[in-house]
Amino acid sequence: MDIYDIAKASGYSTATVSRVINKQNNVSKKAKDRIEKVIKENGYTPNRIARSLAKKSSQLIGIMVPDIRKFFESQSAYELEKILEASGFSTILCVTTDDIRKKKSYLDLLIENQVEAIIGVGSTYEQDEFYKSLVEVSKDIPMAMLNVSPTINSDRIVNVYIDEINAMDQAVSLFKKKGYKKPLYVSLDRGFQTRSYIAKKAGFIEALYKYYDEVNFVEYKIKSVEVCDINPLIDFIEENDFDSIQFELDSLAVVFYKHYVNAGNKVPEDLAIIGFDNIDATEYTNQRISTIDQRIRRQVELALDNLFKLMKGEESENDLMIKAELVEKETI
């Protein structure tokens, strides 16, 4: 049993349950008695160390990422840790995956450890069902989210994200400027759609109509970066005379570049390539791959600046969209 189950069984919010567990005073006797009864009946035991803390400040901040292996998540966590450590905070890093139960379980863990704030990295956290949980918890614990643009508003959560639509505009504009006539959009087939994916695709389509007279939007989905998935893409490009590609992710662009060039093709003469993320690997291919930089450091700085204001009870900006940077290298 976790605090969400206790909240459901008692009929009170997770925020109220958290206040009872952490022995806070601003809870009615009726609510306190009901929640404590549910806890006792179900044998729920909150983190004993966190409950025994006598300090007013834990100096702990929780960081949640869905997959630490991915560039945006790992680089964001690194930048967050650097600034938070320099500001006197320790961190608890939770790798939640995209599973809703695991996300809620880790959120429960951070509450039990009495973190002073929670930071989420990745658009998976803007899923309505989970974001509602964040809004409820944020009444007691201020939060910041990176690459999150939710449909639900809260003045206790700072959301920072890039303008993917403008990012695609920059890329397609460069294709047109360089004389490329038939751009292709290549994405990763995850089996589900994130807000970021939807925004990138919409931005690409919008830019095609803006810069090209004849528009034929084509999206090619790759299930993996294995050779069995890359070679059919190469055949598809040659059969349909595409002369440029916008990849949804650099990880796709880097692997594709290797196989495409090894097959005897030339970049950018035969095909121009732009990726997305500006990962380190784009610097180490034979030709440095042009890409779009999400300006992670800037996102982190804005998120923490406004999160610290929330923690101090000051006014903060809660919806911050920043412009991405197109980094032109050697593949266009």
Side-chain angles (χ1 to χ4, degrees):
M1 169 171 272
D2 58 26
I3 67 168
Y4 300 98
D5 298 317
I6 296 170
K8 185 176 180 180
S10 66
Y12 290 95
S13 70
T14 54
T16 302
V17 172
S18 174
R19 286 194 287 270
V20 171
I21 290 172
N22 292 306
K23 304 296 184 183
Q24 296 177 6
N25 295 324
N26 53 336
V27 182
S28 71
K29 186 178 185 303
K30 180 181 177 182
K32 181 173 180 290
D33 290 346
R34 174 60 182 157
I35 291 167
E36 286 181 342
K37 181 181 179 183
V38 172
I39 289 173
K40 184 177 180 180
E41 288 176 348
N42 290 276
Y44 175 75
T45 305
N47 184 293
R48 62 180 180 82
I49 296 174
R51 286 201 47 188
S52 67
L53 289 173
K55 296 180 181 179
K56 291 183 178 179
S57 171
S58 67
Q59 294 298 105
L60 275 176
I61 289 183
I63 300 174
M64 299 187 302
V65 300
D67 188 344
I68 197 62
R69 297 170 299 177
K70 294 181 179 178
F71 178 77
F72 183 83
E73 284 88 335
S74 61
Q75 191 64 25
S76 296
Y78 171 73
E79 295 290 352
L80 286 164
E81 169 69 23
K82 277 201 310 183
I83 297 176
L84 289 170
E85 182 181 19
S87 302
F89 292 96
S90 297
T91 58
I92 300 175
L93 178 63
C94 302
V95 182
T96 68
T97 76
D98 290 316
D99 182 79
I100 186 69
R101 292 293 299 179
K102 288 186 177 181
K103 286 190 281 191
K104 288 185 175 181
S105 177
Y106 276 112
L107 186 58
D108 183 22
L109 174 70
L110 294 176
I111 294 169
E112 290 179 357
N113 280 274
Q114 294 187 337
V115 295
E116 293 193 53
I118 295 173
I119 302 168
V121 180
S123 56
T124 184
Y125 299 122
E126 68 191 17
Q127 177 190 12
D128 279 356
E129 181 183 352
F130 183 66
Y131 200 82
K132 288 176 182 176
S133 298
L134 294 179
V135 170
E136 195 63 39
V137 174
S138 72
K139 294 174 182 177
D140 293 310
I141 304 173
M143 300 184 185
M145 298 285 135
L146 298 180
N147 195 28
V148 169
S149 176
T151 57
I152 305 167
N153 295 321
S154 170
D155 59 4
R156 295 279 294 168
I157 303 177
V158 176
N159 297 297
V160 183
Y161 53 97
I162 68 157
D163 186 346
E164 285 102 344
I165 290 178
N166 176 264
M168 290 296 103
D169 185 279
Q170 294 181 56
V172 175
S173 173
L174 185 59
F175 283 144
K176 179 66 174 178
K177 179 181 178 182
K178 294 280 187 173
Y180 294 99
K181 298 178 180 179
K182 197 174 181 181
L184 171 68
Y185 187 75
V186 176
S187 61
L188 178 65
D189 188 354
R190 301 176 179 84
F192 62 92
Q193 296 182 351
T194 65
R195 176 204 56 81
S196 181
Y197 160 79
I198 293 170
K200 290 175 188 176
K201 180 177 176 179
F204 186 83
I205 295 171
E206 184 177 307
L208 284 179
Y209 279 97
K210 179 177 179 180
Y211 295 108
Y212 288 87
D213 294 328
E214 295 184 11
V215 176
N216 180 26
F217 169 72
V218 178
E219 177 181 16
Y220 189 100
K221 286 181 173 287
I222 296 181
K223 290 187 178 294
S224 74
V225 290
E226 301 297 325
V227 176
C228 61
D229 289 316
I230 296 297
N231 284 339
L233 171 57
I234 295 175
D235 294 338
F236 181 78
I237 290 166
E238 293 174 350
E239 291 167 3
N240 293 277
D241 297 322
F242 290 104
D243 60 4
S244 48
I245 300 181
Q246 171 63 57
F247 282 94
E248 180 197 359
L249 302 167
D250 278 341
S251 56
L252 299 177
V254 169
V255 176
F256 172 83
Y257 171 86
K258 173 185 174 183
H259 291 291
Y260 186 74
V261 172
N262 287 347
N265 299 295
K266 294 183 179 180
V267 175
E269 293 86 352
D270 297 329
L271 186 74
I273 296 173
I274 299 178
F276 199 105
D277 275 337
N278 200 19
I279 66 175
D280 292 342
T282 60
E283 292 290 323
Y284 303 124
T285 45
N286 288 339
Q287 294 164 279
R288 295 161 56 245
I289 296 175
S290 301
T291 184
I292 294 168
D293 193 318
Q294 296 201 62
R295 300 173 64 199
I296 291 174
R297 174 75 182 190
R298 184 57 181 153
Q299 287 197 52
V300 167
E301 289 173 344
L302 284 171
L304 288 180
D305 284 348
N306 285 280
L307 178 61
F308 291 156
K309 289 178 182 177
L310 272 181
M311 293 169 70
K312 295 174 184 176
E314 300 172 358
E315 288 189 12
S316 68
E317 293 185 69
N318 300 98
D319 188 78
L320 296 153
M321 181 171 69
I322 67 172
K323 187 176 180 180
E325 179 184 356
L326 176 61
V327 184
E328 185 178 348
K329 301 180 185 177
E330 298 172 342
T331 57
I332 185 168

